[in-house]
Amino acid sequence: MKIKKGDQVIVISGKDRGRKGKIIEALPKEGRVIVGGINLRKKHMKPKKSGEKGQIIELPAPFSVSNVKLICQKCGKATRVSYKKEGNKKYRICKKCGQEI
Ligand SMILES: [Zn+2]
């Protein structure tokens, strides 16, 4: 997967289209990602003690990595990624500015 934890991305489809966020978790096996503040789902939390009220919290749910585009830290543009190999190392290269990301 070309996107990994900590990357800045922009959502390109769905209800959160156009919004930006940071990858909290990448799930390469499923081809999905969890992005902070994006695709929020309400979750009901049971009260911890009796007499306490249950809470509803919103948590970001995983969605397909094809719905996001990486934002290059160097040029700040939404971009596609290509790879460059140097010895055993593999670099991600921004297709817009050609810098390593
Ligand atoms: Zn760039």
Side-chain angles (χ1 to χ4, degrees), residues 72-77 79 94-99 101:
C72 172
Q73 304 288 331
K74 300 279 164 64
C75 65
K77 289 175 184 160
T79 185
C94 168
K95 282 197 174 173
K96 290 264 163 73
C97 67
Q99 294 199 71
I101 44 175

